Amino acid sequence: MPDEPVTVVVRRRVKPGSEAAFESAMQEFIGFALGFPGNRGIHVVRPGANSREYTVVDQFIDGQARQSFKASSDYGEWMRRLRELSESDPYIEEQSGLGGWFTPPEAVRASPPAQVKMALVTFLGVLPLTAALPPLFAWLLPGWHPQLANVLVTALIVTLLTWPVMPLLTRLFALWLYGKTP
């Protein structure tokens, strides 16, 4: 509904050594955001021990106020400035109505790892599958049309990556990806 309040939850992991600069930038950003028409308040949850992840809860009177805020050139500049101090793009969740106030604790999500880390872990999952499965299926199904065999192999690779391989690699590399174990 356009006239319902909107709650925005933003999570960012600050680059090591950039904490003081981030704190300073966040103070300035909060001043900017609170001065924007339709902003109802901001709450910042600072990182706990052994963490650099900040959570910001920003509230707007309605969806139009949120959209106007996001469309402003100053907002875009602030997002670039804060991104330079962060390890990756922020995790952003928007909820309208009262739902934003009632996110269960188990729903808390970490911000995504740096893209280069995600690419390297994905590479580790994809390489053995793409090296082993095409020759195996060529040997098992010699009479199949190459395109049909390719569709089958690709579907199997995607299935294996989605369920067993990537969840396993994510757990194995959790400390490197997220800075903590899941």
Side-chain angles (χ1 to χ4, degrees):
M1 294 291 209
D3 58 349
E4 288 187 331
V6 173
T7 301
V8 182
V9 177
V10 180
R11 292 183 179 87
R12 290 182 183 274
R13 188 174 308 109
V14 177
K15 289 179 181 175
S18 297
E19 294 85 356
F22 185 83
E23 285 273 344
S24 177
M26 276 302 297
Q27 288 297 323
E28 292 177 43
F29 173 76
I30 289 169
F32 156 71
L34 290 175
F36 204 88
N39 191 298
R40 296 178 78 185
I42 296 179
H43 303 280
V44 177
V45 180
R46 287 180 169 73
N50 301 322
S51 175
R52 293 183 318 277
E53 186 166 287
Y54 284 74
T55 301
V56 177
V57 180
D58 198 358
Q59 296 183 305
F60 296 87
I61 59 170
D62 57 24
Q64 181 60 42
R66 170 65 177 155
Q67 290 308 315
S68 295
F69 181 69
K70 283 176 32 178
S72 74
S73 59
D74 289 338
Y75 173 82
E77 183 55 38
W78 272 110
M79 291 303 100
R80 281 186 288 285
R81 185 173 167 192
L82 293 170
R83 173 61 181 95
E84 289 174 2
L85 299 169
S86 304
E87 285 186 354
S88 62
D89 290 331
Y91 165 81
I92 301 175
E93 179 181 3
E94 295 184 23
Q95 292 190 6
S96 60
L98 297 176
W101 285 109
F102 299 102
T103 303
E106 62 272 9
V108 171
R109 297 178 195 119
S111 57
Q115 288 180 331
V116 69
K117 290 181 178 184
M118 291 189 293
L120 288 171
V121 171
T122 303
F123 177 82
L124 290 175
V126 170
L127 181 63
L129 296 176
T130 57
L133 292 180
L136 175 66
F137 275 80
W139 178 73
L140 289 174
L141 308 169
W144 281 41
H145 188 280
Q147 291 299 329
L148 185 58
N150 186 37
V151 167
L152 180 65
V153 168
T154 302
L156 184 58
I157 289 171
V158 169
T159 301
L160 290 171
L161 283 171
T162 302
W163 285 283
V165 175
M166 291 310 293
L168 174 65
L169 290 176
T170 302
R171 281 192 303 278
L172 287 174
F173 291 98
L175 187 60
W176 181 64
L177 287 168
Y178 300 102
K180 59 186 174 194
T181 54

